[in-house]
Amino acid sequence: MVLSDRDIRKKIKNGELVVSPFDDQCVQPSSIDLHLGDNFLVFDTHSQTVIDTKKNTVRLMKKIIIKDDEPIIIHPREFILATTIERIKFPHDLVGRLDGKSSLGRIGLVIHSTAGFFDPGFEGQCTLEISNLANLPIALYSGMKICQMSFMHLSSPAQFPYGHKNLKSHYQNQKNTVGSNLNSVWGKK
């Protein structure tokens, strides 16, 4: 069951769900709007030739931090990682679904490629997987509404929520934009 606006507000007010900073005006009928942060990871296409999934991916991307009122320009077919300003902490009986804003989707901006699902127990800022499908560059600004998060109840609280010691939760407590931990797919550290 998807939480309504009144249930989102209730869970935030009683501390079950944390969205920080919280702006009540960002609560929609069944979601909450989240804002774009100021730091990004972009592929360093000038020094890298291939994404080798068996190798560490840290060197593939470089960090960009934008200042107030300074845009980051996303070129056609470009892919970047970004973050939300908000930090979210999920209780053990709630999952989240991150989706783009329709007004941005209508100009060709995709906010997540595959990782729009947030497990119960997740805590941190949300990393966004942004792509420009348009034929023109798109300027994005820190602080703009970039996506929306909806929340759904589990049938019962998770036995092993995200971050539990029995799991390999690579992105728990992430702050700022976090790149891929792809080496975990191959069991490497």
Side-chain angles (χ1 to χ4, degrees):
M1 177 183 328
V2 177
L3 295 188
S4 68
D5 50 1
R6 69 181 69 189
D7 289 327
I8 292 170
R9 286 184 175 102
K10 181 179 176 184
K11 287 199 177 290
I12 290 172
K13 183 177 180 179
N14 70 22
E16 288 179 67
L17 171 65
V18 175
V19 177
S20 177
F22 173 67
D23 180 351
D24 189 72
Q25 293 183 1
C26 289
V27 178
Q28 299 298 318
S30 60
S31 65
I32 185 168
D33 289 337
L34 303 177
H35 300 83
L36 184 64
D38 65 356
N39 67 85
F40 305 85
L41 290 174
V42 299
F43 280 108
D44 185 1
T45 57
H46 300 287
S47 65
Q48 304 297 319
T49 58
V50 66
I51 299 172
D52 187 336
T53 59
K54 283 193 173 185
K55 294 184 178 177
N56 191 307
T57 59
V58 173
R59 295 184 330 255
L60 294 175
M61 302 185 98
K62 62 182 177 182
K63 186 176 230 173
I64 294 176
I65 298 175
I66 59 172
K67 297 176 183 161
D68 293 341
D69 294 324
E70 178 182 271
I72 185 164
I73 308 298
I74 315 299
H75 293 275
R77 296 184 322 276
E78 187 173 21
F79 174 85
I80 67 168
L81 295 177
T83 188
T84 58
I85 289 175
E86 292 83 2
R87 184 182 133 279
I88 300 180
K89 182 177 180 182
F90 287 85
H92 296 178
D93 64 346
L94 212 61
V95 298
R97 179 74 192 166
L98 184 120
D99 287 299
K101 301 285 296 165
S102 63
S103 55
L104 294 172
R106 292 170 193 225
I107 61 170
L109 195 72
V110 177
I111 301 305
H112 69 85
S113 55
T114 62
F117 186 81
F118 289 78
D119 282 314
F122 172 83
E123 181 174 354
Q125 289 174 282
C126 305
T127 295
L128 308 173
E129 304 159 339
I130 299 177
S131 296
N132 178 359
L133 302 179
N135 294 326
L136 297 170
I138 299 173
L140 302 177
Y141 296 86
S142 178
M144 68 183 285
K145 291 179 181 177
I146 192 73
C147 59
Q148 56 195 9
M149 178 77 72
S150 57
F151 306 93
M152 291 142 286
H153 272 290
L154 295 177
S155 57
S156 64
Q159 181 179 7
F160 300 114
Y162 196 84
H164 190 276
K165 65 181 181 178
N166 288 3
L167 303 175
K168 294 179 181 176
S169 302
H170 302 290
Y171 305 108
Q172 185 70 322
N173 296 310
Q174 67 185 11
K175 185 176 180 187
N176 295 318
T177 304
V178 177
S180 174
N181 194 346
L182 186 60
N183 291 81
S184 63
V185 173
W186 295 103
K188 298 176 184 176
K189 292 183 180 180

